[in-house]
Amino acid sequence: MSSPLAAKRIVLGVTGSIAAYKVADWVRSLKRDGATVTVIMSKGGARFVTPLTFAALSGNHVHDDMFSMSMAEQIPHIELAKQCDLLLVAPASADAIARLAQGLADDLLSTVALATEAPIMLCPAMNSKMFMHPATQTNLARLAEFGYRIIKPDVGAMACGDDGPGRLPEWHVARHAILSIFARQDLTGRSVLVTAGPTWEPLDPVRFLSNRSSGKMGYAVAAAASQRGASVTLISGPTTLHAPPGVNTIQITTAQEMYDETISRAEGIDVVVKAAAVSDFRPDTQADQKLKKATAKAGTLTLHANPDILQTLGQRKGKCHYPLLVGFAAESEDHLNEGRRKLREKNLDLMVVNDITGVDCGFGVDTNRVTLLDYNDATEELPLLSKEETAHRIWDRVARLLDSQ
Ligand code: PMT
């Protein structure tokens, strides 16, 4: 399935940190995303993981010598600098950071860093005391001034036994930062509120009514907006997903809680995208104690309607600065007419209609096939895409709507 990183040429500088072993897995992930990865290893890096490991994972020659003429008799640092959409230095050791900050050029990595016009991203990873040392902090500040993107290391237990800042960030954090470099920055300055996931409507302390939403679609919408420069708030029902980096994520459980959080935050927001599968109903009564088979007769369950969050937002449109509204319609039949009906009834600007009966779209899966409907009844049918790509296609359309406001 397509990824925004497909065909991107990434030159990966691996330097002397024990975290080099984790970066081997990053290469596999980048390859799965369809990127090409060419690795440069510093002498220190090669002491932690062999070049053979990275050659096998990347499928490309690993460069460790500035004067090796192994690139078809070209000058490696110039060729690598040209064949590069991103220079990623991970892990970035204290020594590599110092060398880059001083503009040294006596090894392949530092020379490529001077010669390339591509963005450069550093993932510092080292002992906490080394990371916090004024020399390292000064070097990082200097590189930030040069326009280098620096991903803050994680805080936690280090291989050396210390505890503090200096751990290599998780891959999903690094991947989000990489995607942000390549994403069109057409939502800079915009504020966005996204809802995602299911809601749980309690029956008793153990049981609840819910649905099969995993949150993947909504989280992809929030992550894509953040990558494109927006300030993003995500209101999420219960999921097992990582909160997207750089997104203000608010966890809720019930439809009423999602209503309260969404309505209280919507005013002044530029765009609201409601990808959440909000329970339309909740049990009329919520038992304080677990219902016992003996007492709870297998009778009927009385349901009470939950507030329709999107309908409420639609009714308030036109008053003061109210957001552009994007809804999702989870349909199993008569998709487009149902989508049009909901768009009109809820006074939306865009409706994303998805067929939840398809094996590869809707609830729980990593892909979706949606049709975008707008208030002029313009219809845009998207092919089967990853939810990540679907999210970007939705933002492409929303960005055009924002520009036409
Ligand atoms: O989370 P995933 O596993 O990735 O699955 C994605 C998805 C299928 C959940 C998602 O693509 C989707 O379709 N979300 C909307 C599901 C839904 O509730 O659709 P609906 O047709 O029942 O509701 C229409 C719109 O009204 C939705 O934007 C919904 O958020 C909103 N709504 C519904 C009920 C309610 N009480 N308040 C609402 O705001």
Side-chain angles (χ1 to χ4, degrees):
M1 196 41 60
S2 56
S3 157
L5 292 180
K8 294 298 182 193
R9 300 167 304 173
I10 295 176
V11 173
L12 171 64
V14 179
T15 68
S17 161
I18 180 67
Y21 80 93
K22 295 181 185 175
V23 171
D25 211 36
W26 290 17
V27 176
R28 290 178 59 233
S29 300
L30 285 167
K31 295 278 289 179
R32 264 200 310 272
D33 266 320
T36 59
V37 182
T38 304
V39 175
I40 299 175
M41 293 197 86
S42 72
K43 289 189 173 43
R47 295 177 61 126
F48 287 94
V49 181
T50 64
L52 180 60
T53 299
F54 283 102
L57 291 168
S58 66
N60 288 322
H61 174 79
V62 172
H63 301 276
D64 53 6
D65 171 4
M66 184 152 134
F67 300 103
S68 67
M69 300 300 276
S70 54
M71 288 177 77
E73 302 313 306
Q74 302 294 323
I75 303 172
H77 60 285
I78 299 306
E79 280 315 301
L80 285 170
K82 283 181 189 166
Q83 296 171 14
C84 174
D85 295 315
L86 170 68
L87 174 58
L88 172 65
V89 184
S93 64
D95 176 65
I97 290 166
R99 300 162 62 74
L100 291 169
Q102 299 313 310
L104 298 186
D106 62 352
D107 72 1
L108 189 53
L109 176 58
S110 53
T111 312
V112 170
L114 291 184
T116 189
E117 293 178 338
I120 302 177
M121 176 183 281
L122 302 182
C123 295
M126 64 195 78
N127 167 276
S128 307
K129 296 185 182 59
M130 291 173 70
F131 178 72
M132 295 310 292
H133 192 288
T136 305
Q137 292 300 310
T138 303
N139 290 331
L140 288 170
R142 185 171 163 79
L143 289 168
E145 281 170 15
F146 294 162
Y148 284 41
R149 272 78 160 203
I150 297 158
I151 303 186
K152 276 176 67 178
D154 271 1
V155 178
M158 312 288 295
C160 58
D162 278 7
D163 198 299
R167 285 168 60 94
L168 192 75
E170 295 299 322
W171 169 240
H172 77 276
V173 174
R175 183 174 184 277
H176 181 85
I178 293 168
L179 287 168
S180 302
I181 286 180
F182 292 125
R184 192 180 316 140
Q185 297 302 298
D186 53 0
L187 297 178
T188 302
R190 296 291 188 179
S191 56
V192 162
L193 189 150
V194 180
T195 68
T199 60
W200 290 359
E201 310 302 326
L203 185 58
D204 64 20
V206 172
R207 304 173 182 93
F208 55 81
L209 296 181
S210 187
N211 58 63
R212 293 199 306 283
S213 172
S214 63
K216 289 178 180 177
M217 188 71 251
Y219 277 56
V221 168
S226 173
Q227 288 155 22
R228 295 169 80 136
S231 160
V232 184
T233 297
L234 171 65
I235 300 175
S236 171
T239 74
T240 58
L241 305 178
H242 288 295
V247 168
N248 172 29
T249 301
I250 296 157
Q251 299 290 350
I252 56 92
T253 305
T254 67
Q256 186 63 52
E257 289 168 352
M258 185 173 273
Y259 175 91
D260 295 342
E261 287 293 347
T262 305
I263 299 299
S264 65
R265 295 167 186 274
E267 201 154 341
I269 290 281
D270 291 310
V271 186
V272 172
V273 182
K274 291 284 284 81
V278 187
S279 302
D280 285 321
F281 301 99
R282 62 176 183 268
D284 209 24
T285 54
Q286 182 183 331
D288 294 332
Q289 304 301 328
K290 180 185 172 188
L291 296 174
K292 301 296 182 195
K293 270 199 289 285
T295 50
K297 298 180 189 62
T300 52
L301 184 61
T302 309
L303 298 177
H304 185 82
N306 280 321
D308 188 325
I309 305 166
L310 197 49
Q311 185 101 35
T312 306
L313 292 172
Q315 288 160 354
R316 296 187 183 188
K317 261 176 75 173
K319 298 165 190 146
C320 63
H321 172 71
Y322 231 67
L324 190 143
L325 296 180
V326 180
F328 273 73
E331 304 301 337
S332 55
E333 59 179 351
D334 200 15
H335 308 87
L336 292 188
N337 288 329
E338 276 301 289
R340 288 189 184 97
R341 177 181 64 78
K342 291 179 180 176
L343 183 143
R344 281 193 300 274
E345 282 178 5
K346 302 185 186 217
N347 193 17
L348 306 184
D349 298 280
L350 190 68
M351 176 60 96
V352 182
V353 185
N354 50 183
D355 168 3
I356 52 164
T357 61
V359 290
D360 46 16
C361 46
F363 293 107
V365 293
D366 292 325
T367 53
N368 211 352
R369 188 197 314 273
V370 304
T371 300
L372 307 183
L373 301 175
D374 72 12
Y375 46 79
N376 294 321
D377 209 27
T379 302
E380 181 182 359
E381 196 170 330
L382 300 185
L384 183 69
L385 295 168
S386 64
K387 282 183 175 172
E388 188 171 59
E389 282 281 273
T390 302
H392 278 289
R393 297 287 288 272
I394 292 168
W395 284 118
D396 290 346
R397 187 68 177 276
V398 171
R400 290 201 299 272
L401 287 175
L402 287 170
D403 290 345
S404 65
Q405 275 184 334

